[in-house]
Amino acid sequence: TELAYELIGLYLGSAELLGQRTADIHKALSNSENPDFAPEPFTSFYQRSIYQYKRNLAGQVLLDLKKQMSQLSAEDRQLAQTVINRKEQLMKRLASVLDLKISAMRTRCHGDYHLENVLYTGKDFAIVNFEGEPQRPLSERRMKRSPLRDVAAMLQSFYYAAVIGLREEIKNGTIRPENVMLMEQWGQYWYSWVSATFLKSYLAHSGSEAFVPKTEEETQTLLDAYMLEKAVYELSYELNNRPQWVEIPLSRILQLVEG
C-alpha cells in the first residue's frame, strides 16, 4: 500500500473520497419516505429480466461488430474476431447473475456515472447530471436498479482514463516505442489500485445499507455482470461514434471474460 501511495500519489486519496461520496449519493437516492425513491427488492423475475437485457444487448452488439469488421484496422479486426469467438464465454458470464439469490434492494441511482460527471472542487467532489444515459428512454432511466451499476460504470471510467492517458502520451511522443509495454503495465497497476481504493471506500461507507448485497459473492457477481454490460455498451458506442477507439472496449471485454 505504501508503494502504491508513493507511485500514484494523492489520486488514491481522491479515489477514496469519491468512493465515500458515491455511497453518500446512493444513500440519499434510497430515501424510503418518497415512493418514487423507495427501495424495492430483487426478485427472481427481475434477475431474469436484467439477464435478458444484457444477453440481448450483447447479441446485438456482436452482430453489429461482425457487420462493421471490414471498416476496422487489421489489428482491431483480429481483436474483434477474438471477442466474437468468446461469445459463449461472454454469455455465460452474463448468466451468472441467475445463479444465486440477490439479497440487496434496488433503488434509483445516477445512471450515467463516470469521471466527466464528477467535478473536483479542490477539496471535495460534486456529482452532476442525474438525467441518466441520454440514449436510453426516460422510462428505462427511471428504473430502480442496484447502485452497484453506478460503481461498475465508475470502474469502467477509471479504465478509460488509464488507457486514453497512455494513448495520448504515445501519440505526443512522450513515451518511446521501446517503453510502451512497460507503461501499459504501469497503466494497469494504476487502474487496479485506484479501482480497489474506490471500491473499498464505497463498501466501507455503504456496507450496512439495504442496497448493498449481504455477501461478497453477491457483490462480486453483480459487479462483474454490470462491468461486462458496460463494456459491451461502450463497444456499441465506439463502433457507431469513434471506431478508432474500438480497441478499448474490445480489450476490456476480453479482460473481463477471461479474468
Side-chain angles (χ1 to χ4, degrees):
T1 303
E2 289 182 7
L3 178 62
Y5 270 92
E6 182 180 338
L7 292 173
I8 299 174
L10 296 177
Y11 200 92
L12 283 183
S14 297
E16 186 174 357
L17 179 59
L18 183 57
Q20 181 180 346
R21 292 293 172 256
T22 304
D24 292 340
I25 288 294
H26 287 159
K27 289 176 187 177
L29 290 174
S30 63
N31 180 2
S32 59
E33 295 179 4
N34 185 330
D36 288 335
F37 288 82
E40 297 176 5
F42 269 79
T43 62
S44 57
F45 175 79
Y46 178 73
Q47 283 180 243
R48 178 155 291 279
S49 72
I50 61 175
Y51 162 65
Q52 294 284 5
Y53 171 80
K54 296 175 194 299
R55 187 183 71 173
N56 293 342
L57 174 67
Q60 184 59 55
V61 172
L62 290 181
L63 191 62
D64 292 343
L65 183 60
K66 281 184 180 180
K67 291 178 180 177
Q68 298 185 47
M69 286 274 273
S70 61
Q71 302 174 30
L72 304 179
S73 68
E75 288 184 359
D76 288 346
R77 279 200 303 273
Q78 186 174 1
L79 194 58
Q81 190 59 56
T82 303
V83 169
I84 291 169
N85 293 343
R86 299 286 192 279
K87 179 180 179 180
E88 187 175 337
Q89 287 175 262
L90 192 159
M91 293 302 185
K92 187 176 180 180
R93 280 297 182 104
L94 293 176
S96 63
V97 75
L98 299 174
D99 295 340
L100 73 165
K101 171 79 175 157
I102 303 296
S103 60
M105 302 291 279
R106 297 182 290 125
T107 69
R108 297 286 286 274
C109 52
H110 187 282
D112 191 22
Y113 202 50
H114 51 77
L115 290 169
E116 288 186 9
N117 284 333
V118 173
L119 306 180
Y120 186 55
T121 68
K123 294 182 178 180
D124 210 335
F125 289 103
I127 298 167
V128 299
N129 296 339
F130 283 80
E131 69 269 21
E133 291 176 351
Q135 294 182 337
R136 298 180 189 268
L138 186 59
S139 58
E140 189 176 321
R141 287 184 256 167
R142 287 172 55 87
M143 286 178 62
K144 292 173 184 175
R145 310 173 186 271
S146 169
L148 290 178
R149 193 167 182 269
D150 280 349
V151 174
M154 184 55 71
L155 296 178
Q156 173 79 348
S157 193
F158 287 140
Y159 179 82
Y160 257 71
V163 174
I164 296 302
L166 180 61
R167 277 190 164 207
E168 289 300 311
E169 294 290 297
I170 294 172
K171 181 180 177 181
N172 295 336
T174 307
I175 298 175
R176 295 178 180 178
E178 63 268 24
N179 293 330
V180 168
M181 187 174 295
L182 177 64
M183 294 307 294
E184 285 177 344
Q185 293 173 355
W186 159 244
Q188 183 60 43
Y189 180 88
W190 181 93
Y191 164 74
S192 298
W193 270 99
V194 169
S195 296
T197 301
F198 168 79
L199 181 58
K200 182 179 179 180
S201 176
Y202 175 82
L203 293 174
H205 289 92
S206 63
S208 61
E209 296 294 322
F211 56 76
V212 177
K214 299 294 185 288
T215 69
E216 187 175 325
E217 182 184 12
E218 292 172 63
T219 301
Q220 192 62 59
T221 297
L222 279 177
L223 269 179
D224 287 346
Y226 283 129
M227 283 194 292
L228 191 50
E229 176 198 333
K230 186 65 176 174
V232 171
Y233 178 82
E234 295 288 359
L235 174 57
S236 175
Y237 181 86
E238 304 302 7
L239 272 174
N240 294 314
N241 296 280
R242 295 180 298 204
Q244 71 275 17
W245 281 21
V246 78
E247 178 268 335
I248 302 173
L250 285 172
S251 296
R252 179 65 165 163
I253 290 170
L254 287 176
Q255 184 185 81
L256 293 170
V257 168
E258 298 175 350

